């Protein structure tokens, strides 16, 4: 009898230890849920999370029945907002609602103790920005803005060349982020004083701030120049950012047909230039006066692998939640990027 009990106990211990080892060796994805699904990036981002082993997509809260049906058809559950916020198992919330709701939904998620990925721009007011940054800091939670090109290989390599000094002293950044918008979308973007600078110039301003930090002075030009539409959208915009020994110029308009191939980010330094054109699919050329880093004197195209939106930022966020690395842009960087955008948009 004693031998049989001992054998049974040993078998139970082995089963328990084997189960624990298997759980440790093959952990499930991090539970994540979406607050909102109406942003133009939301659906594809949800599908990336759904397919990723890093994530366990629990579902999306979306009050618009037509939009919610789209997620249901893709096999993504629809959830109650308060149930998401109250569920301690959901560790991360992705805010993918309308831009005007980003700061409020990010606040709710942070107050509920969730790490947050918030679609760009993360806030449309300075008060809202300060609130979410202060909450993330005080609660020691992660906050990542959804700038889809932060992890674009051409952008990463161009910023690296500048930060490492391979371009020499950077004295100018030029960027153009244009598109063509007509009809109802113009009304959506006209909600904000910055118009297209706030909506699309945000991408390039984020790059500028990653490289040069907070500008001393920002001068914006927010014009409504398309005479075909009787609305208030600032559809032809530019901003100049002044630094002690450099400046940056960003242009954003919604009036350029076939704009994708002409989207440009260019960094000029005393030893050469890094030019991204187009931003997507990524194409980078570096032209140096003399050899620097891995690059030779003269013009050269830099190999950039194919880029799929949203994959790398969600991978980085998962690794940061697991404590394996830090986010590319910390809370101070997120504040600087968004504050500078608000200044350039006349919304600070």
């Amino acid at each position: 009898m004693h031998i049989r009990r001992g054998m049974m106990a040993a078998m139970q211990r082995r089963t328990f230890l084997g189960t624990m080892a298997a759980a440790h060796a093959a952990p499930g994805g991090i539970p994540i849920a979406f607050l909102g699904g109406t942003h133009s990036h939301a659906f594809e981002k949800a599908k990336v999370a759904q397919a990723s082993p890093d994530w366990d997509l629990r579902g999306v809260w979306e009050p618009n029945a037509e939009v919610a049906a789209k997620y249901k058809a893709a096999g993504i559950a629809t959830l109650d907002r308060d149930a998401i916020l109250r569920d301690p198992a959901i560790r991360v919330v992705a805010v993918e609602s309308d831009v005007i709701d980003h700061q409020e939904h990010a606040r709710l998620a942070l107050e509920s103790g969730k790490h947050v990925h918030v679609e760009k721009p993360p806030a449309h007011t300075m008060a809202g920005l300060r609130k979410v940054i202060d909450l993330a800091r005080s609660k020691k939670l992660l906050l990542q803005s959804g700038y889809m090109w932060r992890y674009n290989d051409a952008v990463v390599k161009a910023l690296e060349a500048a930060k490492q000094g391979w371009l020499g002293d950077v004295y100018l950044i030029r960027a153009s982020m244009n598109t063509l918008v007509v009809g109802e979308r113009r009304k959506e973007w006209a909600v904000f004083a910055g118009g297209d600078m706030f909506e699309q110039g945000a991408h390039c301003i984020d790059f500028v701030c990653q490289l040069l930090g907070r500008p001393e002075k920002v001068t914006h030009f927010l014009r409504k120049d398309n005479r075909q539409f009787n609305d208030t959208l600032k559809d032809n915009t530019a901003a100049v950012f002044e630094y002690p020994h450099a400046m940056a110029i960003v242009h954003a308009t919604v009036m350029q047909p076939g704009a994708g191939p002409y989207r440009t980010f260019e960094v000029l330094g005393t030893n050469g230039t890094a030019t991204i054109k187009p931003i997507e699919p990524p194409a980078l050329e570096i032209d140096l006066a003399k050899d620097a880093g891995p690059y030779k004197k003269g013009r050269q195209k830099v190999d950039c692998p194919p880029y799929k939106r949203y994959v790398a930022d969600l991978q980085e966020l998962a690794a940061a939640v697991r404590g394996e690395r830090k986010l590319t842009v910390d809370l101070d960087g997120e504040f600087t990027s968004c504050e500078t955008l608000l200044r350039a948009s006349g919304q600070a």
Side-chain angles (χ1 to χ4, degrees):
M1 180 69 81
H2 292 296
I3 295 173
R4 186 177 297 171
R5 288 193 186 123
M7 289 175 63
M8 290 178 64
M11 289 173 64
Q12 289 171 347
R13 281 197 300 273
R14 284 196 296 269
T15 301
F16 173 78
L17 292 172
T19 301
M20 292 299 291
H24 180 74
I30 300 164
I32 185 173
F34 280 51
L35 283 189
T38 52
H39 193 276
S40 59
H41 298 167
F43 186 66
E44 290 303 316
K45 193 174 293 185
K47 290 202 296 184
V48 168
Q50 184 184 36
S52 170
D54 284 325
W55 299 103
D56 171 13
L57 178 57
R58 297 295 177 90
V60 58
W61 166 72
E62 176 46 60
N64 183 304
E66 184 178 346
V67 175
K70 182 180 178 181
Y71 288 87
K72 287 182 182 178
I76 299 171
T78 55
L79 304 174
D80 177 75
R81 188 192 74 173
D82 291 339
I84 290 173
L85 297 173
R86 289 195 302 263
D87 188 347
I90 296 174
R91 300 182 63 194
V92 180
V93 162
V95 174
E96 292 291 331
S97 48
D98 291 345
V99 173
I100 201 164
D101 296 319
H102 286 181
Q103 62 189 40
E104 174 66 8
H105 291 161
R107 178 189 67 79
L108 289 171
L110 289 165
E111 286 179 341
S112 298
K114 317 294 188 185
H115 301 297
V116 169
H117 170 93
V118 53
E119 183 59 62
K120 71 87 189 164
H124 65 279
T125 67
M126 282 302 303
L129 174 63
R130 289 193 180 98
K131 183 66 175 178
V132 297
I133 294 293
D134 288 348
L135 272 170
R137 200 184 305 278
S138 65
K139 289 179 171 289
K140 295 180 171 56
L141 293 167
L142 299 173
L143 178 72
Q144 180 194 56
S145 294
Y147 284 98
M148 63 190 180
W149 289 326
R150 275 182 180 172
Y151 309 87
N152 178 312
D153 202 52
V155 173
V156 171
K157 288 178 177 176
L159 295 183
E160 177 191 42
K163 290 176 180 178
Q164 294 295 329
W166 301 334
L167 301 180
D169 295 329
V170 173
Y171 59 87
L172 177 64
I173 294 175
R174 292 189 294 227
S176 180
M177 179 60 194
N178 300 339
T179 192
L180 181 65
V181 171
V182 296
E184 290 301 311
R185 291 186 71 201
R186 288 183 60 94
K187 293 180 182 179
E188 292 175 24
W189 292 12
V191 169
F192 303 103
D196 197 39
M197 180 58 64
F198 183 66
E199 174 63 32
Q200 288 199 295
H203 290 288
C204 297
I205 291 170
D206 186 61
F207 303 158
V208 169
C209 291
Q210 284 193 55
L211 182 55
L212 298 178
R214 185 181 190 275
E216 292 183 338
K217 182 179 179 182
V218 178
T219 305
H220 56 70
F221 305 87
L222 306 173
R223 299 170 57 92
K224 196 275 183 181
D225 287 336
N226 192 324
R227 291 170 289 177
Q228 298 177 25
F229 297 96
N230 184 25
D231 58 31
T232 60
L233 173 63
K234 303 303 182 184
D235 54 22
N236 194 16
T237 66
V240 178
F241 308 85
E242 297 182 55
Y243 294 86
H245 303 290
M247 66 177 178
I249 304 167
V250 173
H251 176 250
T253 181
V254 298
M255 296 193 292
Q256 185 177 7
Y262 301 99
R263 291 172 173 174
T264 306
F265 187 77
E266 187 179 21
V267 185
L268 288 74
T270 53
N271 189 47
T273 303
T275 303
I276 304 171
K277 186 178 181 179
I279 296 174
E280 189 180 45
L284 173 63
E285 181 179 275
I286 288 183
D287 186 2
L288 299 182
K290 60 182 180 181
D291 295 358
Y295 304 111
K296 302 296 182 183
K297 174 182 176 179
R299 296 176 65 178
Q300 57 222 280
K301 293 188 181 299
V302 180
D303 289 336
C304 295
Y307 183 69
K308 181 174 172 58
R309 293 179 178 183
Y310 321 127
V311 172
D313 43 347
L314 289 180
Q315 286 176 339
E316 181 184 82
L317 180 59
V321 171
R322 292 192 297 261
E324 297 166 1
R325 62 161 297 167
K326 293 183 178 180
L327 295 175
T328 294
V329 179
D330 63 14
L331 289 176
D332 290 335
E334 294 287 11
F335 182 87
T336 296
S337 176
C338 191
E339 186 229 17
T340 302
L341 171 63
L342 293 173
R343 292 165 70 193
S345 302
Q347 296 171 211

